[in-house]
């Protein structure tokens, strides 16, 4: 993670002063909370091998916070899940850039990422320190999830034609 301070200049008739503007960037793999306030935090999630569409083996839940996801680069499929009587039911959404997605507290979830994906996440402060539980998916559940992800995953060719 790198935290960079930039300085903006604001002018008024009496004086000129320097106003600090903080910039946050996470260039490595995985999850990095980089702005933690008293009540909320902003983090960045970049690709890591365990979030590849073929590699997801678990889902997680937060009990005290909603969690928002914003696609900044690459491709991502947001996964929501409900567990009833040890049966998992999935919902998958191919994320669009510049659209904010919310996972309400208590909703099981995960995310599949392309190798160039970057996600901005906002949630309660210090969620990463303990407000989570994991559910390990069985092999049949993993196979079902993989199939669902592939059903909405866009090929690079279709993404390129959408941009043109």
């Amino acid at each position: 993670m790198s935290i960079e301070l930039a300085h903006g200049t604001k002018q008024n008739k009496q004086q000129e002063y320097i106003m600090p503007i903080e910039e946050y960037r996470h260039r490595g793999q995985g999850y990095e909370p980089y702005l933690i306030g008293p009540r909320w935090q902003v983090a960045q999630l970049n690709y890591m091998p365990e979030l590849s569409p073929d590699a997801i083996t678990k889902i997680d839940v937060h009990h005290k916070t909603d969690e928002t996801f914003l696609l900044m680069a690459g491709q991502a499929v947001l996964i929501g899940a409900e567990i009833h009587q040890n049966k998992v039911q999935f919902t998958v959404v191919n994320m669009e850039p510049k659209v904010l997605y919310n996972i309400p507290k208590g909703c099981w979830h995960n995310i599949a990422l392309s190798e160039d994906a970057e996600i901005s996440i906002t949630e309660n402060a210090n969620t990463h320190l303990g407000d989570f539980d994991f559910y390990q998916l069985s092999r049949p559940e993993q196979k079902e999830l993989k199939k669902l992800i592939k059903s909405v995953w866009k090929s690079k060719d279709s993404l390129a034609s959408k941009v043109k």
Side-chain angles (χ1 to χ4, degrees), residues 29-30 47-58 110-112:
Q29 289 188 350
Y47 172 82
M48 52 192 202
E50 56 266 38
L51 295 180
S52 170
D54 295 334
I56 295 176
T57 61
K58 63 185 175 182
N110 205 334
I111 191 166

Side-chain angles (χ1 to χ4, degrees), residues 58-126:
K58 63 185 175 182
I59 53 178
D60 68 275
V61 67
H62 304 297
H63 302 287
K64 298 177 184 174
T65 185
D66 285 11
E67 184 174 15
T68 66
F69 295 81
L70 181 68
L71 178 62
M72 300 188 305
Q75 185 175 357
V77 173
L78 192 56
I79 303 156
E82 291 185 44
I83 304 172
H84 295 291
Q85 299 175 347
N86 293 326
K87 173 131 176 72
V88 181
Q89 218 173 357
F90 298 108
T91 301
V92 295
V93 173
N94 193 53
M95 294 178 68
E96 294 182 37
K98 302 177 186 176
V99 175
L100 187 67
Y101 298 86
N102 184 58
I103 297 289
K105 67 181 173 183
C107 179
W108 291 93
H109 63 283
N110 205 334
I111 191 166
L113 301 176
S114 64
E115 290 186 18
D116 58 344
E118 297 177 4
I119 306 290
S120 178
I121 294 174
T122 306
E123 59 197 348
N124 283 355
N126 299 311

